[in-house]
Amino acid sequence: RADRQPEFTQIDIETSFLGEQEIRALFERMISHVFQQAMGVDLGAFPVMPYAEAMHRFGSDKPDLRVKLEFTELTDVMKDVDFKVFSGAANMKNGRVVALRIPGGSKENGGISRGEIDAYTEFVKIYGAKGLAYIRVNEAAKGPGPEGATRWPGLQSPIVKNIHDTALQAVLERTGAQDGDLIFFGADKEKIVN
C-alpha cells in the first residue's frame, strides 16, 4: 500500500474454523520458509510466552526481551518485616512483593535522581500503586552495621531500617544487585504490582 513504509509487511488470511494454535502454526511455517528461501536464515522455533507468565515476570503483555529488566519475587521473605507496606502485601490473599533492579541506576553520573524517583512514584499511581519504595545500593559488601549503628550503611533508603537483615540479604542475592544499582519495589495486590 502507498501509505506503508517499505519495511512494513502485513499478512492477511481468510479462514474458517481454525483456532489460535492452528493459525500461529500456519504463519510460523510460512515466515520460516520465506526467511529460509529469501535469506538463508533458519529462524528455528518461535518463542511463546503465555500472558500470565509475561505479566508475572515483566508486568507487560508485550515485553521487549532485549531489555533485561525483570521482576524478582520477594513475597516469601517480606511476610514478617516491620515495613507494613511489604508485610501487609505479602500476607494478603493475592498479594505480591517484587523488586526491579535497575543496573547503574544509583550511580552519581547517569543514575536516577531523587526528582526522577518522585516522578516515577507519581506515574505508578496511575495503575493503583500507593507509592514506590526504593533502595540505592552504594556498597553492598558492607552488610549490616554493628549494634546501635546505621543499619546496612551501604544501602541508602528510608525503608532499610524497617526490613530485617535476612530479608535485605535476600533482596541483594535474588536481584543480583551490585554497587551503583537502584532497586525499586512493588507491593500490593498482584494485579496492581504487575
Side-chain angles (χ1 to χ4, degrees):
R1 292 173 42 177
D3 63 342
R4 300 291 190 205
Q5 297 179 15
E7 68 274 9
F8 182 88
T9 301
Q10 180 174 322
I11 303 168
D12 291 324
I13 184 173
E14 291 184 27
T15 181
S16 298
F17 312 115
L18 286 184
E20 177 183 341
Q21 297 303 325
E22 294 166 303
I23 292 171
R24 180 181 292 154
L26 177 70
F27 281 109
E28 286 178 8
R29 284 193 312 272
M30 182 192 70
I31 291 167
S32 292
H33 178 77
V34 169
F35 269 76
Q36 183 66 51
Q37 295 300 309
M39 301 171 58
V41 173
D42 182 4
L43 295 178
F46 282 56
V48 177
M49 183 181 302
Y51 173 82
E53 179 186 348
M55 294 304 292
H56 191 79
R57 289 176 54 195
F58 302 101
S60 172
D61 61 352
K62 50 188 174 303
D64 184 341
L65 299 180
R66 298 169 296 179
V67 178
K68 301 300 179 193
L69 297 178
E70 187 170 337
F71 290 150
T72 300
E73 190 64 48
L74 296 170
T75 307
D76 60 316
V77 297
M78 296 298 177
K79 289 183 181 282
D80 62 347
V81 298
D82 291 336
F83 189 49
K84 299 298 181 203
V85 172
F86 288 2
S87 60
N91 288 299
M92 78 170 60
K93 183 180 179 183
N94 297 321
R96 187 172 192 211
V97 181
V98 300
L100 182 68
R101 174 184 164 233
I102 312 297
S106 184
K107 290 182 180 174
E108 290 182 22
N109 296 327
I112 298 173
S113 71
R114 178 56 202 242
E116 290 171 309
I117 291 173
D118 292 342
Y120 287 136
T121 301
E122 289 303 311
F123 177 77
V124 298
K125 288 179 181 180
I126 296 169
Y127 299 98
K130 295 169 190 73
L132 186 62
Y134 68 91
I135 294 177
R136 290 184 186 276
V137 182
N138 297 327
E139 294 180 72
K142 280 189 175 180
E147 191 67 34
T150 302
R151 293 208 60 243
W152 286 75
L155 304 180
Q156 181 185 350
S157 172
I159 67 169
V160 169
K161 65 181 179 245
N162 296 311
I163 301 176
H164 55 70
D165 293 345
T166 304
L168 286 172
Q169 191 64 45
V171 168
L172 296 174
E173 288 174 4
R174 290 184 187 184
T175 61
Q178 305 292 316
D179 293 350
D181 290 350
L182 178 65
I183 304 170
F184 284 119
F185 296 89
D188 209 313
K189 295 176 192 155
E190 184 176 23
K191 184 175 181 178
I192 292 173
V193 171
N194 290 355

